[in-house]
């Protein structure tokens, strides 16, 4: 380590992380066997971060998100939110899932946004209704406030789910591949919406995806996980990329780099195996 | 090499699509009209089926020509109208209904408590599994002799068999419905701090409503047939018999037309409950929410 690098750290008094995972090992039971989902994963999320967990299926990223949500207890290590241990689900960590059935079908879009506010007793009925209208406006579904979820398109449903989560003003927004079930055009729109919202509202989020492009566009910092079980492969910056940078040469290079980090070994092994056969 | 007929190369063009207001289209009104039209047709279809059945009955009875075995449809309707007019049948139906509603309510409450226990605790789940496996296949009528021994000839015995008829199918359906609630919906509910009965009421019950309504329907049919059969077996309590007793008594006196009138009343009541009560309930809830087509 050079002296200048040391000085840099000295000069900035770093803020303390909002969310901290220390050596988190997660496993789950499957037909009588314990299966390891992640192995000793460490990372820290700071206020205002758009922190992305990226990895192929089987890297335990969804299980990690569930653990942060308080639905899954680590078998080793700990998860700290604002310095205190996460033990159970709570309204300070609201999730948006990929599945459309996260919205109760018996509530209109507006009632859906009001629901957590009322259930957690954050707001009275009148205030909740106003907040719901405000957030539905923000995500652009105010026209459909009185529609039931089955009358909405997939993109609209995800907009309502995002409005519902943001209305709660959680410490951290947990997003579990929220756009993965949408068509490519709608996904693009939603990524743009998320970026706009982040610039306007300034929330912190933990975002899960298996798309390298989405990770680069949506996130400012990316944690790469390798699969079976999930282990940290790298942590990269992506704050320099946005919707506008798609297709630029730096963006292509970053994509290539991540691809190499995730699949490089396997790819090289396959190539050398092919060479050996011929 | 090219295809025998290769597609022509056409000029490209761009244009601004015209502004079309959704409200300009008469689709909304026509949609509603079409819906009413279709509803009408469904009702007409059902009435036509009922009419054909009645006609078949009438013809068969006339050809048979034996009032003691099979009275005609028209004779049955006359008997039904007469006994409705003089109040006897109405009173019988009233007695049966009162009994049914009490037993149904008790059974529903029991099923709700049992399933709430089953989702809350592991022992509750095992209890529900075992009890429903044991008692659901057991016909309520088969318990009647025991009920008579324990509770005597009276209301308590009828309530006992009614609760038995309602409790198990409803608990089974409700529990299956609870277990089928999507994982994301459960997690959403728990994130908002819902737990215990609030969680059951605000998440599980509405989410499982299609299964619960199906269970309520099955339970209603079971309880109605159990009640009529139980009344047939041990008839009246303190001189006030229900619809089953009406059927049984008239058979003893060989008023076959009245027997058929009693059966018809059972059927008509069933149709009314199915179409009015449950039909309306479904339209107001699960169909409106798109949970059922």
């Amino acid at each position: 380590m050079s002296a200048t690098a040391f000085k840099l750290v000295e000069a900035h008094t770093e803020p303390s992380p909002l969310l901290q995972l220390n050596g988190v090992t997660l496993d789950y039971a499957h037909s009588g066997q314990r299966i390891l989902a992640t192995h000793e994963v460490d990372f820290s999320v700071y206020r205002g971060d758009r922190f992305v967990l990226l990895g192929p299926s089987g890297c335990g990223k969804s299980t990690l998100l569930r653990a942060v949500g308080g639905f899954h207890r680590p078998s080793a290590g700990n998860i700290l939110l604002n310095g205190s241990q996460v033990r159970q689900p709570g309204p300070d960590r609201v999730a948006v899932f990929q599945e459309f059935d996260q919205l109760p079908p018996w509530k209109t879009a507006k009632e859906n946004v009001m629901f957590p506010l009322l259930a957690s007793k954050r707001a009275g009925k009148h205030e909740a209704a106003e907040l719901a209208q405000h957030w539905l406006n923000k995500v652009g579904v105010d026209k459909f406030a009185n529609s039931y979820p089955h009358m909405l398109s997939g993109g609209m449903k995800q907009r309502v789910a995002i409005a519902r989560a943001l209305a709660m003003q959680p410490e951290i927004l947990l997003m579990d591949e929220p756009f993965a079930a949408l068509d490519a055009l709608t996904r693009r729109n939603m990524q743009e919406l998320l970026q706009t919202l982040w610039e306007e509202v300034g929330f912190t989020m933990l975002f899960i995806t298996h798309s390298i492009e989405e990770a680069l566009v949506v996130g400012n910092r990316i944690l790469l996980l390798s699969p079976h079980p999930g282990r940290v492969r790298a942590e990269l910056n992506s704050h320099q990329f946005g919707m506008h940078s798609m297709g630029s040469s730096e963006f292509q290079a970053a994509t290539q780099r991540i691809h190499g980090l995730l699949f490089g070994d396997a790819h090289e092994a396959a190539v050398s195996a092919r060479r050996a056969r011929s | 090499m090219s295809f025998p007929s290769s597609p022509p190369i056409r000029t490209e063009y761009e244009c601004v699509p015209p502004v079309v207001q959704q409200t300009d289209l008469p689709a909304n009104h026509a949609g509603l009209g079409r819906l009413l039209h279709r509803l009408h047709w469904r009702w007409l279809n059902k009435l036509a089926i009922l009419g054909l059945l009645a006609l078949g009955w009438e013809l068969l009875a006339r050809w048979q020509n034996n009032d003691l075995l099979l009275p005609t449809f028209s004779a049955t309707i006359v008997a039904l109208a007469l006994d409705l007019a003089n109040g006897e049948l109405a009173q019988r139906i009233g007695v049966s209904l009162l009994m049914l509603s009490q037993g149904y309510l008790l059974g529903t409450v029991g099923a709700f408590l049992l399933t709430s226990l089953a989702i809350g605790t592991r022992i509750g789940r095992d209890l529900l599994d075992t009890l429903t496996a044991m008692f659901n296949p057991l016909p309520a009528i088969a318990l009647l002799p025991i009920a008579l021994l324990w509770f005597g000839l009276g209301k308590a015995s009828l309530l006992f068999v009614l609760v038995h008829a309602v409790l198990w199918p409803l608990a089974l359906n409700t529990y299956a419905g609870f277990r089928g609630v999507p994982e994301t919906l459960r997690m959403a509910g728990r994130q908002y701090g819902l737990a215990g009965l609030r969680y059951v009421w605000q998440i599980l019950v509405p989410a499982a409503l299609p299964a619960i309504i199906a269970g309520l329907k099955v339970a209603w049919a079971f309880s109605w047939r159990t009640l009529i059969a139980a009344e047939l077996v041990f008839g009246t309590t303190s001189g006030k018999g229900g619809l089953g007793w009406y059927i049984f008594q008239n058979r003893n006196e060989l008023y076959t037309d009245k027997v058929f009138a009693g059966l018809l009343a059972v059927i008509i009541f069933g149709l009314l409950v199915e179409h009015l009560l449950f039909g309306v309930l479904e339209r107001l809830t699960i169909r409106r929410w798109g949970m059922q087509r």
Side-chain angles (χ1 to χ4, degrees):
Chain A
M1 271 276 146
S2 69
T4 47
F6 183 67
K7 259 187 206 154
L8 261 175
V9 176
E10 278 280 82
H12 294 269
T13 45
E14 282 208 359
S16 56
L18 173 69
L19 176 76
Q20 221 175 343
L21 275 79
N22 303 313
V24 172
T25 298
L26 298 165
D27 56 24
Y28 57 90
H30 182 75
S31 56
Q33 258 184 316
R34 302 298 303 172
I35 291 176
L36 208 53
T38 67
H39 177 70
E40 295 183 357
V41 171
D42 305 285
F43 65 88
S44 297
V45 179
Y46 291 83
R47 220 171 268 282
D49 259 345
R50 292 160 288 146
F51 199 96
V52 176
L53 302 182
L54 174 63
S57 57
C59 74
K61 51 195 191 301
S62 272
T63 318
L64 267 175
L65 189 99
R66 268 154 218 232
V68 173
F71 294 106
H72 197 125
R73 198 171 285 249
S75 51
N78 56 30
I79 302 172
L80 302 173
L81 183 77
N82 273 328
S84 55
Q85 188 125 14
V86 166
R87 290 179 201 284
Q88 57 189 11
D92 52 352
R93 287 151 285 142
V94 180
V96 174
F97 300 102
Q98 173 187 338
E99 291 87 351
F100 297 143
D101 57 19
Q102 64 187 306
L103 299 178
W106 61 91
K107 290 180 183 293
T108 61
K110 190 173 169 185
E111 287 166 346
N112 252 295
V113 181
M114 290 167 68
F115 184 35
L117 292 164
L118 296 174
S120 64
K121 302 190 172 107
R122 281 278 179 90
K125 210 161 188 160
H126 189 71
E127 196 191 341
E130 274 178 11
L131 278 169
Q133 201 62 54
H134 169 80
W135 285 102
L136 286 177
N137 272 331
K138 280 255 184 236
V139 299
V141 277
D142 43 317
K143 273 189 201 152
F144 302 95
N146 294 318
S147 302
Y148 286 97
H150 77 276
M151 302 151 101
L152 302 175
S153 66
M156 290 288 178
K157 283 182 204 168
Q158 293 311 78
R159 280 169 194 257
V160 175
I162 291 173
R164 182 175 74 168
L166 286 177
M168 287 295 284
Q169 300 194 289
E171 288 279 353
I172 185 164
L173 190 60
L174 308 176
M175 307 204 81
D176 189 0
E177 303 197 36
F179 311 143
L182 302 174
D183 61 272
L185 293 173
T186 311
R187 189 176 313 138
R188 192 78 186 255
N189 276 337
M190 295 299 288
Q191 289 163 352
E192 233 164 304
L193 171 78
L194 196 64
Q195 195 162 2
T196 317
L197 282 171
W198 182 80
E199 278 157 16
E200 279 181 31
V201 186
F203 47 83
T204 311
M205 74 172 174
L206 185 61
F207 191 104
I208 285 185
T209 182
H210 57 244
S211 153
I212 297 174
E213 285 79 14
E214 186 168 67
L216 288 169
V217 165
V218 160
N220 70 326
R221 188 136 173 106
I222 303 174
L223 185 80
L224 293 186
L225 294 162
S226 59
H228 306 297
R231 287 148 298 162
V232 175
R233 181 77 175 86
E235 207 178 311
L236 312 169
N237 281 328
S238 57
H239 54 83
Q240 64 272 37
F241 299 117
M243 295 301 297
H244 54 87
S245 45
M246 266 207 210
S248 71
S249 55
E250 294 87 15
F251 192 87
Q252 295 295 336
T255 310
Q256 289 297 324
R257 180 180 170 206
I258 292 174
H259 196 275
L261 282 166
L262 287 178
F263 303 107
D265 303 343
H267 185 68
E268 270 162 35
V271 169
S272 57
R274 217 176 300 143
R275 233 178 254 140
R277 248 182 281 133
S278 58
Chain B
M1 206 178 89
S2 67
F3 287 101
S5 65
S6 50
I9 294 170
R10 282 139 291 182
T11 51
E12 294 180 355
Y13 71 92
E14 289 181 12
C15 65
V16 180
V19 179
V20 180
Q21 292 287 318
Q22 197 59 240
T23 47
D24 292 348
L25 302 169
N28 214 353
H29 184 71
L32 191 68
R34 210 166 41 232
L35 183 73
L36 279 177
H37 193 67
R38 217 170 50 210
L39 273 179
H40 258 100
W41 269 112
R42 288 203 61 196
W43 275 102
L44 282 178
N45 278 343
K46 284 181 180 180
L47 283 178
I49 291 169
L50 290 177
L52 278 177
L53 283 174
L55 185 69
W57 175 1
E58 183 74 31
L59 290 177
L60 186 68
R62 280 179 191 270
W63 174 69
Q64 181 91 18
N65 198 17
N66 186 342
D67 272 356
L68 213 57
L69 285 182
L70 181 63
T72 59
F73 174 68
S74 46
T76 304
I77 291 293
V78 170
L80 184 70
L82 279 180
D83 272 354
L84 272 177
N86 69 24
E88 195 195 346
L89 201 52
Q91 191 217 341
R92 301 293 196 203
I93 292 175
V95 169
S96 286
L97 268 190
L98 193 67
M99 192 46 101
L100 181 81
S101 48
Q102 288 171 3
Y104 195 73
L105 204 67
L106 266 178
T108 309
V109 171
F112 183 75
L113 289 179
L114 203 60
T115 40
S116 296
L117 196 70
I119 49 151
T121 60
R122 184 151 293 182
I123 182 79
R125 184 177 165 173
D126 293 337
L127 184 74
L128 181 73
D129 275 348
T130 319
L131 288 183
T132 47
M134 280 166 67
F135 291 126
N136 202 26
L138 196 63
I141 284 301
L143 286 180
L144 202 56
I146 303 284
L148 289 177
L149 267 181
W150 289 350
F151 305 110
L153 264 174
K155 196 175 156 184
S157 290
L158 277 179
L159 276 184
F160 179 78
V161 290
L162 276 180
V163 168
H164 173 83
V166 171
L167 184 57
W168 311 117
L170 183 55
L172 205 64
N173 262 288
T174 306
Y175 189 55
F178 283 178
R179 293 221 300 203
V181 175
E183 186 64 24
T184 53
L185 209 50
R186 292 167 184 276
M187 292 204 282
R190 285 176 59 202
Q191 279 185 326
Y192 311 152
L194 294 176
L197 272 184
R198 284 181 75 213
Y199 175 72
V200 174
W201 264 123
Q202 296 192 37
I203 298 283
L204 293 185
V205 169
L209 209 55
I212 293 176
I213 288 181
L216 284 172
K217 278 182 173 177
V218 173
W220 134 254
F222 276 22
S223 61
W224 186 225
R225 69 166 79 153
T226 300
L227 179 67
I228 300 296
E231 284 175 347
L232 271 171
V233 173
F234 79 103
T236 175
T237 62
S238 60
K240 274 190 174 172
L243 202 46
W245 178 239
Y246 173 87
I247 294 170
F248 185 69
Q249 209 180 22
N250 283 313
R251 196 217 71 105
N252 281 348
E253 296 172 23
L254 292 180
Y255 291 126
T256 316
D257 52 346
K258 289 189 173 190
V259 172
F260 273 82
L263 289 175
L264 208 54
V266 172
I267 292 170
I268 290 170
F269 192 71
L271 283 174
L272 285 179
V273 168
E274 175 76 32
H275 281 96
L276 294 183
L277 207 71
F278 287 116
V280 169
L281 183 65
E282 283 177 352
R283 212 163 311 134
L284 285 181
T285 56
I286 51 182
R287 292 220 188 135
R288 183 158 168 238
W289 303 334
M291 295 167 89
Q292 195 186 59
R293 299 215 159 253

